[in-house]
Amino acid sequence: MDKAIQNLIKKAQTQAKCVTFLNTPDQLKDFYLSNLENYTEWRALASIDDWLPVDREFLQEFRVKLDAKKIPTRVIMKSSGLQFEPQGLQFRSVKTIPDSYTFRSSIDILDNKILVMNPHMSVLGLVIESEALIDVFRDMFDMLWTSLPEQTV
């Protein structure tokens, strides 16, 4: 998956239509917070272990903010990420996959955007605004979600 994301970054650099680059942690945080009032749902395929070094405190606070805004949030993560999962969030559901999956990127699927984040690449985040891609990512996430067992956090 990481190789595919690297190829996507290369393509986006030459065809920047509907693509925004986030190069710094501050840009990433601004992206997350800028539309907090407008989100209606949040889906994420997350590599929490790779997100934490960017800004652990912000990640935890943002999860609480989503919940306080009553934004339904569904997250699929590696089992190792459960140790960082905040307790008591009413609008957050988590399912896990085995740690044997080695992806290091996180993909957030929002109402009108996709964010691909990987702190190990030259671009920290890649925001894609394409209805066709959003539909594909949303459907792929939903298929995976329904195939995974319920998780007790």
Side-chain angles (χ1 to χ4, degrees):
M1 182 161 105
D2 289 336
K3 185 165 178 64
I5 292 169
Q6 287 175 337
N7 290 338
L8 182 60
I9 290 171
K10 285 179 186 174
K11 186 173 183 179
Q13 288 172 329
T14 60
Q15 301 174 4
K17 187 178 180 182
C18 301
V19 174
T20 305
F21 296 98
L22 305 176
N23 296 306
T24 68
D26 285 339
Q27 288 176 325
L28 184 65
K29 289 185 244 182
D30 287 345
F31 171 80
Y32 277 118
L33 296 173
S34 65
N35 288 305
L36 191 58
E37 300 297 323
N38 301 321
Y39 298 131
T40 60
E41 64 181 336
W42 192 286
R43 293 173 175 94
L45 179 62
S47 179
I48 303 301
D49 296 331
D50 292 295
W51 212 119
L52 288 174
V54 175
D55 192 325
R56 176 186 221 137
E57 187 175 315
F58 175 81
L59 176 61
Q60 298 299 70
E61 290 171 4
F62 185 72
R63 292 170 173 179
V64 172
K65 287 180 182 182
L66 284 173
D67 204 68
K69 295 285 183 188
K70 299 182 179 178
I71 298 167
T73 304
R74 293 186 292 156
V75 180
I76 298 170
M77 67 173 77
K78 293 181 251 184
S79 299
S80 60
L82 282 177
Q83 65 183 316
F84 306 108
E85 191 62 21
Q87 300 299 308
L89 300 182
Q90 297 178 0
F91 297 92
R92 185 175 174 88
S93 301
V94 175
K95 292 189 177 183
T96 61
I97 57 174
D99 288 334
S100 58
Y101 287 94
T102 59
F103 67 92
R104 299 177 77 187
S105 299
S106 292
I107 301 172
D108 296 328
I109 306 157
L110 311 173
D111 300 321
N112 60 351
K113 295 177 177 93
I114 300 165
L115 169 65
V116 180
M117 197 281 299
N118 186 320
H120 308 289
M121 294 189 184
S122 60
V123 174
L124 180 59
L126 186 66
V127 179
I128 304 165
E129 297 181 61
S130 164
E131 213 36 63
L133 285 176
I134 294 165
D135 286 343
V136 169
F137 275 75
R138 190 179 294 131
D139 285 347
M140 288 175 50
F141 178 92
D142 289 345
M143 284 188 290
L144 180 57
W145 182 266
T146 57
S147 71
L148 292 170
E150 292 298 320
Q151 182 72 44
T152 304
V153 180

